[in-house]
């Protein structure tokens, strides 16, 4: 008998990459940045861009001009870190990059302890990732596009 186990890995939401893409466009082409312009560059529906822009606005990273359209950065790109963007768009579920599977067998010594033991390691890994994102500004990223 062969048993196949499928593990579902939660990835960071694409909201993060779309938000970075959006902010980069606004920094590089501020006069052209309507929702439709951004949506074409991202290759997604303008509704997705409007949702992301709402999150970025709420986080104080952009100002959106209704009617005529367009957006501007509220914080200079050399002061906006990837961590700012990551947090603005709630890139992970419940602020957890990693999740532990549900209902391990508590009769098993591994099942009984896996969450407590593994959770500390995963928190440390997320912390390292967030420290790295905090070291990279939007401006540094934009320089790599040239």
């Amino acid at each position: 008998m062969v048993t196949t186990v499928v593990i579902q890995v939660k990835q960071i939401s694409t909201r993060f990459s779309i938000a970075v893409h959006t902010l980069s466009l606004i920094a590089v082409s501020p006069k052209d940045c309507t929702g439709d312009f951004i949506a074409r560059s991202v290759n997604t529906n303008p509704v997705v861009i409007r949702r992301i822009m709402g999150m970025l606005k709420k986080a104080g990273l952009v100002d959106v001009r209704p009617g005529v359209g367009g957006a501007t950065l509220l914080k200079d790109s050399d002061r906006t870190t990837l961590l700012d963007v990551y947090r603005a768009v709630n890139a992970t579920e419940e602020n957890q990059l990693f999740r532990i599977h549900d209902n391990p067998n508590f009769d098993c010594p591994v099942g009984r302890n896996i969450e407590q033991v593994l959770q500390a390691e995963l928190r440390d890994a997320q912390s390292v990732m967030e420290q790295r994102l905090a070291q990279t500004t939007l401006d540094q990223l934009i320089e790599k596009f040239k």
Side-chain angles (χ1 to χ4, degrees):
M1 176 183 203
V2 176
T3 304
T4 303
V5 177
V6 177
I7 299 174
Q8 183 179 15
V9 178
K10 293 283 186 183
Q11 294 181 329
I12 293 175
S13 167
T14 58
R15 288 187 307 263
F16 176 64
S17 62
I18 292 171
V20 171
H21 190 143
T22 298
L23 291 172
S24 297
L25 273 174
I26 295 168
V28 171
S29 304
K31 294 179 182 167
D32 299 323
C33 279
T34 64
D36 288 339
F37 176 81
I38 296 167
R40 280 192 303 276
S41 180
V42 174
N43 198 23
T44 192
N45 191 300
V47 172
V48 173
I49 299 304
R50 283 194 292 275
R51 285 187 193 133
I52 298 290
M53 292 292 275
M55 293 174 163
L56 295 172
K57 182 177 180 173
K58 184 177 179 182
L61 297 177
V62 296
D63 183 35
V64 181
R65 291 182 304 274
V68 247
T72 54
L73 297 179
L74 290 177
K75 190 174 172 185
D76 292 336
S77 58
D78 64 344
R79 291 183 28 242
T80 302
T81 68
L82 294 183
L83 183 60
D84 295 331
V85 181
Y86 174 82
R87 288 182 174 157
V89 297
N90 304 312
T92 57
E93 271 186 38
E94 301 170 12
N95 205 21
Q96 286 185 300
L97 180 59
F98 303 99
R99 288 190 42 194
I100 305 293
H101 55 284
D102 295 328
N103 304 317
N105 182 347
F106 285 97
D107 293 333
C108 168
V110 173
R112 183 172 43 254
N113 294 292
I114 191 69
E115 183 172 1
Q116 177 184 349
V117 172
L118 189 54
Q119 205 57 272
E121 293 296 321
L122 297 177
R123 270 193 305 272
D124 288 349
Q126 182 170 349
S127 177
V128 169
M129 182 204 69
E130 289 178 359
Q131 288 171 20
R132 178 67 179 95
L133 291 176
Q135 294 172 6
T136 305
T137 65
L138 192 57
D139 204 44
Q140 290 168 324
L141 203 64
I142 291 167
E143 283 300 313
K144 295 179 182 181
F145 299 151
K146 297 177 181 174

